[in-house]
Amino acid sequence: MEILSERLLLIAKQVNHNDVICDIGTDHALIPIYLARGNLITKAYACDIAEQPLEQAKKNIAKYKIGEVITPVLADGLTGIKGIAIDSCIISGLGSNTILIILEQDADNINRYILCPNDDANLIRQWVKTQRYFLEQELIMKENDLIYEILVINKSAGKKVKNQKDIMFGPILRKEKSAIFKEKWLLKVVHFQSLLEKVPDKSAKAKELTQKIKLINKVI
């Protein structure tokens, strides 16, 4: 089995010891297998909508003789774990809009989510605010020149998402102001400035971009 990438390893580390987990869009079930082989979880449901990657997941599970811990599930989103008590639900490698579609199936049987969207983490934080959930942890990291945010959502405890600054930057990340956080937002400033040069000076778009640049500079 291939070694977990730095990003997948960081996601796996957000799982609590002895959790029952589900991994949505599990692909080859790399995270569940890593956790099961380390005796870090009680049970895992490796869920995927596509048959081919799930078949590879089954082969990997059989190879390491951990079928009693990991159950592969062919299902769309959260439909395959209805009624099963899940401590941590992992969803990574998808865009925020796709993750939000999956989260429409959110139910009481899931206690917390570990999400790593490919883009627009602000949309996830808006959902957290709307649901009145909490951010237990926010992490930011860089892999293959791409910057990712990992959001650990807890339904009962953590940081609230209170306002637009929290939605845009993250209440935990903007307090910590890590080097990668600053790098991400400085790149955004450069991007917004390039867009600003292409719109009429007094247009609504120019005003919006100018406000974003000022806000970013103030936060970082």
Side-chain angles (χ1 to χ4, degrees), residues 54-102:
L54 200 65
E55 283 303 315
Q56 185 58 52
K58 290 176 182 177
K59 291 177 183 177
N60 289 339
I61 292 164
K63 178 181 177 181
Y64 293 105
K65 299 180 174 65
I66 45 177
E68 72 282 1
V69 179
I70 304 176
T71 299
V73 181
L74 183 65
D76 184 4
L78 305 178
T79 59
I81 47 96
K82 281 184 179 178
I84 299 170
I86 301 293
D87 296 306
S88 295
C89 175
I90 299 167
I91 311 176
S92 66
L94 301 172
S96 284
N97 285 314
T98 302
I99 291 175
L100 288 172
I101 291 170
I102 294 170

Side-chain angles (χ1 to χ4, degrees), residues 2 36 44 53 55 86 94 98 115 128 162 187 193 214-215:
E2 62 184 273
E55 283 303 315
I86 301 293
L94 301 172
T98 302
L115 308 179
V128 174
K162 297 178 180 178
L187 288 170
Q193 285 173 337
K214 285 181 179 178
L215 179 59

Side-chain angles (χ1 to χ4, degrees), residues 30-201:
L30 298 182
I31 291 177
I33 290 170
Y34 168 82
L35 293 168
R37 292 188 71 203
N39 296 314
L40 300 172
I41 53 174
T42 301
K43 180 70 180 175
Y45 297 89
C47 307
D48 208 291
I49 193 173
E51 289 187 26
Q52 189 171 347
L54 200 65
E55 283 303 315
Q56 185 58 52
K58 290 176 182 177
K59 291 177 183 177
N60 289 339
I61 292 164
K63 178 181 177 181
Y64 293 105
K65 299 180 174 65
I66 45 177
E68 72 282 1
V69 179
I70 304 176
T71 299
V73 181
L74 183 65
D76 184 4
L78 305 178
T79 59
I81 47 96
K82 281 184 179 178
I84 299 170
I86 301 293
D87 296 306
S88 295
C89 175
I90 299 167
I91 311 176
S92 66
L94 301 172
S96 284
N97 285 314
T98 302
I99 291 175
L100 288 172
I101 291 170
I102 294 170
L103 292 176
E104 288 175 6
Q105 303 165 6
D106 175 42
D108 291 341
N109 64 303
I110 300 170
N111 290 332
R112 66 202 285 267
Y113 291 95
I114 302 167
L115 308 179
C116 183
N118 288 341
D119 54 25
D120 300 327
N122 59 298
L123 300 180
I124 303 295
R125 284 190 281 263
Q126 177 63 66
W127 179 83
V128 174
K129 184 176 187 294
T130 301
Q131 298 299 116
R132 298 184 179 179
Y133 292 159
F134 302 85
L135 285 171
E136 179 183 317
Q137 181 60 281
E138 290 182 300
L139 302 162
I140 189 166
M141 58 89 64
K142 190 173 183 179
E143 184 176 80
N144 299 327
D145 293 326
L146 296 174
I147 293 175
Y148 296 94
E149 293 182 28
I150 298 169
L151 309 180
V152 182
I153 299 162
N154 191 308
K155 293 187 176 181
S156 57
K159 288 278 186 182
K160 287 185 177 180
V161 180
K162 297 178 180 178
N163 51 46
Q164 286 303 312
K165 275 188 182 179
D166 284 350
I167 291 169
M168 185 170 178
F169 300 100
I172 298 172
L173 292 179
R174 74 184 176 97
K175 184 177 179 181
E176 294 176 346
K177 288 187 174 67
S178 71
I180 296 175
F181 174 85
K182 290 178 181 178
E183 179 184 349
K184 172 184 175 172
W185 289 105
L186 285 171
L187 288 170
K188 287 285 188 184
V189 167
V190 172
H191 174 63
F192 291 150
Q193 285 173 337
S194 69
L195 293 178
L196 194 56
E197 293 172 2
K198 299 173 185 176
V199 298
D201 288 345

